[in-house]
Amino acid sequence: MATHEEISAGLQSFYEGYQKNSKLKLMNRDWNRVIRIIASDIDSQHTLTLQNGELTVTQGVSDQNPDLVVTSDSETLADLFYGDITPTEPYMNGTLVIQGSEDDIVRLDFISLMIWGE
Amino acid sequence: MKRVVSISLGSSKRDHQVQVELLGEQFEISRLGVNGDFEEAVAKLKQLDGQVDAIGLGGIDVYVYAGDRRYAFKDGLRLMGAVKSTPVVDGSGLKNTLERETVTFLLQNTDIIKKGTRVLMVSAVDRFGMAEAFAAAECDVTFGDLIFTAGIPYPIKTLQELKEMAAKLLPEMTQLPFHMLYPTGEKQESRDEEKAQKFAPYYYDAEIIAGDFHFIKRYLPDKLNGQTIITNTTTAADVEFLRQNGAGRLVTTTPVFEGRSFGTNVIEGVLVVLLGKPSSEITPEDYLDIINKLDFRPKIIELDN
């Protein structure tokens, strides 16, 4: 089990990876989304907000309704945002549950792979 | 009579059967759509295994390529794995030769392709041979893989960038259900209105729109302005659809039988039967040799608007 702080640190790492990738910002300039991250086994929630290609990460729940809700156990979330695992396998085996449109799920997977992919 | 059957994840509305003679051999070629029902496709493949001479997998890619690397779709491998004894192909072997040759033929024999021609390839990793041929012809190519597969308005402009993107994305993306990345079943019958509008400038800016017909059709904007479409798997109704929507010309890469240009998977199945050896042992030279013997050439249809 990971802690809330570890998930926060993982998200910070994800954020830094995003910030370094100017191409990724350009690619996402049309994709304005609010993404809620929920740990299923500990009290931990975060919000990712994408607006005009810029990403912000905040602790807790935003006032805005989320377009995507990402739920998993704390260990998987920490591993995922640190780039130790890719989202595909936990998504396919049901460990990682993403509620949202299929197009948005593919897009989130894409962002993760652009940051951490080969 | 040799039988080649294509099992497609696409709509059953496009089912078709023809009989043709090729190099003195009689063929019955048919296409069966399962309307996106993956389990039905597996069942039909098991049923046909050992009963026909070759099976094609349609509406899905098993293998896609970028440079020297090959990526396999998990769903495609599962379908292929359902067939134990009959040769089974997805068309990727033939695409690498036939579609490359199509571009070369048009470059050498027509004025459709010239240096600097603006080409939109709606997806390139499923037709890397064609992508390389356009690049070699010094066309101004936009590879739309991210645009039309992932909805990301980012045109890839070089083969090098395409290869880099593929290396980052495809090892994982190919593990997703195929329907998340490609229109299957009923989606093949409808247009994605939002994306068609959003991505229309890529279509309008191009002189040639090339690649997978279901992608082309799903995101086709309201009215083209005389573009040439290079594709296959078109029916007589599709030709009329393109005419109505302002396309100027249709070039099909696979031969037309009874008004229908079959998918490369079907034609690859036919060629595997004619070559008479396991598909894993067939080389691009084998395909080129038999394509020449069959005198397969792209078919050019002028669409008067």
Side-chain angles (χ1 to χ4, degrees), chain B residues 47-277:
Chain B
Q47 198 181 344
L48 288 168
D49 191 16
Q51 305 299 312
V52 297
D53 295 283
I55 296 173
L57 298 178
I60 188 166
D61 290 309
V62 181
Y63 300 112
V64 292
Y65 297 82
D68 297 332
R69 291 190 63 175
R70 183 175 82 163
Y71 305 89
F73 278 94
K74 189 178 176 182
D75 276 354
L77 288 176
R78 203 178 138 215
L79 289 181
M80 204 167 241
V83 181
K84 304 297 179 197
S85 61
T86 300
V88 56
V89 292
D90 72 333
S92 59
L94 186 59
K95 278 180 191 168
N96 195 34
T97 46
L98 184 66
E99 297 193 337
R100 191 187 295 271
E101 287 301 299
T102 296
V103 175
T104 305
F105 176 87
L106 295 175
L107 181 68
Q108 292 174 348
N109 298 287
T110 73
D111 62 356
I112 295 171
I113 297 175
K114 305 182 279 291
K115 181 179 176 181
T117 298
R118 295 186 308 281
V119 179
L120 169 65
M121 278 198 77
V122 285
S123 61
V125 293
D126 63 330
R127 283 173 159 79
F128 198 75
M130 183 185 269
E132 283 190 315
F134 277 127
E138 298 183 68
C139 293
D140 175 2
V141 194
T142 295
F143 303 114
D145 297 66
L146 292 181
I147 301 167
F148 301 105
T149 305
I152 297 162
Y154 182 84
I156 297 172
K157 294 299 292 183
T158 66
L159 288 175
Q160 184 56 35
E161 189 174 19
L162 181 69
K163 286 187 265 188
E164 287 168 10
M165 288 287 177
K168 264 186 182 296
L169 302 171
L170 285 178
E172 289 292 319
M173 289 260 175
T174 49
Q175 305 308 300
L176 289 172
F178 194 71
H179 68 79
M180 290 180 79
L181 303 170
Y182 182 81
T184 59
E186 285 182 359
K187 278 188 184 173
Q188 292 184 354
E189 300 300 318
S190 62
R191 187 167 76 152
D192 185 327
E193 297 292 340
E194 188 189 337
K195 285 185 187 165
Q197 196 173 353
K198 184 174 176 181
F199 300 138
Y202 295 110
Y203 276 71
Y204 292 138
D205 186 51
E207 296 165 271
I208 291 175
I209 298 159
D212 182 274
F213 184 65
H214 293 301
F215 270 137
I216 292 174
K217 190 178 171 187
R218 185 153 172 81
Y219 305 112
L220 196 80
D222 281 340
K223 193 76 182 165
L224 293 175
N225 37 35
Q227 282 86 344
T228 294
I229 311 293
I230 303 178
T231 189
N232 61 17
T233 67
T234 49
T235 63
D238 294 327
V239 176
E240 190 51 33
F241 169 82
L242 288 171
R243 190 195 314 275
Q244 295 290 330
N245 282 279
R249 183 188 290 124
L250 170 65
V251 179
T252 54
T253 58
T254 49
V256 175
F257 302 131
E258 295 181 11
R260 172 73 182 271
S261 151
F262 279 92
T264 44
N265 72 91
V266 185
I267 304 302
E268 188 173 341
V270 169
L271 299 192
V272 166
V273 173
L274 287 171
L275 286 165
K277 55 179 176 178

